[in-house]
Amino acid sequence: TNATSGGELIFGGADPSKYTGSITYISVSIEGYWEFPMASVSVGSTSISSSTYAIADTGTTLIVGPTAQVDSLNGAIGATYDSSSQLYTVDCHTRSLSSFPNITFTIGDTVFILKPLQYLWITGDQSAGYICYSVFSPSDSTDSNGNLFWILGDFFLYRYYSVFDIQNNRVGFSTSISYDWMPTVGSSLFPTSSTTTHPSTSTMKTTTHPTTSTM
């Protein structure tokens, strides 16, 4: 309970002190991994995926999606593939933070937004240097119907409170009270201006390779 970045598992109900607003529920489409339909994934105003499927998994660190879709997403945020880490990296040394777009997941009729510092994984320090990774990792996982699906791992679940309602066979999400928490960013990162053209920020309102665990 004293962890600076911890989690909590509650059996038998939800804790309203841990989230804000209402819970959006979506019916489970395939049991076992609590798979559910996801309406779309967008980068800014650009659609990356529509009418897809997803699971929410605390056993996966990153956010994993079908290769073609994740490649397009990372391209849209200006990320490049790093073969040594097998992850995508972004230039956070010469790009301004405002040059990175928001990323939106639409579940049911509700949008769930990740801001740039919520989907960038910053490692290293001032003396050794920083590396900024995209938390979106490609993997062509298929369900029992042969459909590709996304895995919404810890970088999504940090921000959104999740409910697994076995009685009604549905999954629910709401904005976590820790949604606005942001990591500490080194002073050498994200200059206030950039001479390079990059994707603009959306105006919508509203270790290592991850492994999947059976919930």
Side-chain angles (χ1 to χ4, degrees), residues 5-54:
S5 179
E8 183 178 55
L9 174 65
I10 299 173
F11 292 97
D15 183 350
S17 71
K18 298 299 193 304
Y19 64 89
T20 61
S22 59
I23 298 174
T24 294
Y25 284 101
I26 189 77
S27 296
V28 167
S29 55
I30 298 179
E31 297 179 5
Y33 285 110
W34 297 77
E35 183 180 331
F36 55 89
M38 184 163 63
S40 65
V41 180
S42 301
V43 177
S45 60
T46 302
S47 177
I48 296 297
S49 175
S50 60
S51 300
T52 187
Y53 297 91

Side-chain angles (χ1 to χ4, degrees), residues 15-177:
D15 183 350
S17 71
K18 298 299 193 304
Y19 64 89
T20 61
S22 59
I23 298 174
T24 294
Y25 284 101
I26 189 77
S27 296
V28 167
S29 55
I30 298 179
E31 297 179 5
Y33 285 110
W34 297 77
E35 183 180 331
F36 55 89
M38 184 163 63
S40 65
V41 180
S42 301
V43 177
S45 60
T46 302
S47 177
I48 296 297
S49 175
S50 60
S51 300
T52 187
Y53 297 91
I55 67 172
D57 184 20
T58 58
T60 298
T61 303
L62 306 180
I63 297 175
V64 182
T67 298
Q69 298 170 28
V70 168
D71 286 350
S72 295
L73 185 155
N74 279 310
I77 65 173
T80 57
Y81 186 70
D82 174 46
S83 59
S84 61
S85 65
Q86 299 184 22
L87 295 172
Y88 279 83
T89 62
V90 299
D91 176 12
C92 53
H93 297 277
T94 63
R95 285 183 62 177
S96 64
L97 193 60
S98 63
S99 71
F100 291 90
N102 290 340
I103 295 179
T104 302
F105 300 85
T106 303
I107 300 171
D109 58 359
T110 304
V111 297
F112 297 87
I113 294 175
L114 292 182
K115 301 173 185 178
L117 284 180
Q118 297 172 331
Y119 66 74
L120 296 179
W121 180 16
I122 303 172
T123 66
D125 54 39
Q126 196 77 32
S127 59
Y130 293 99
I131 301 176
C132 300
Y133 294 103
S134 159
V135 302
F136 298 99
S137 177
S139 178
D140 289 326
S141 301
T142 56
D143 61 24
S144 57
N145 292 329
N147 295 316
L148 295 168
F149 64 91
W150 287 73
I151 304 173
L152 306 181
D154 296 340
F155 275 91
F156 182 88
L157 298 175
Y158 287 157
R159 309 298 173 174
Y160 293 104
Y161 189 90
S162 55
V163 179
F164 298 85
D165 182 353
I166 195 168
Q167 184 173 10
N168 296 297
N169 201 30
R170 61 183 184 171
V171 178
F173 299 101
S174 188
T175 302
S176 170
I177 60 166

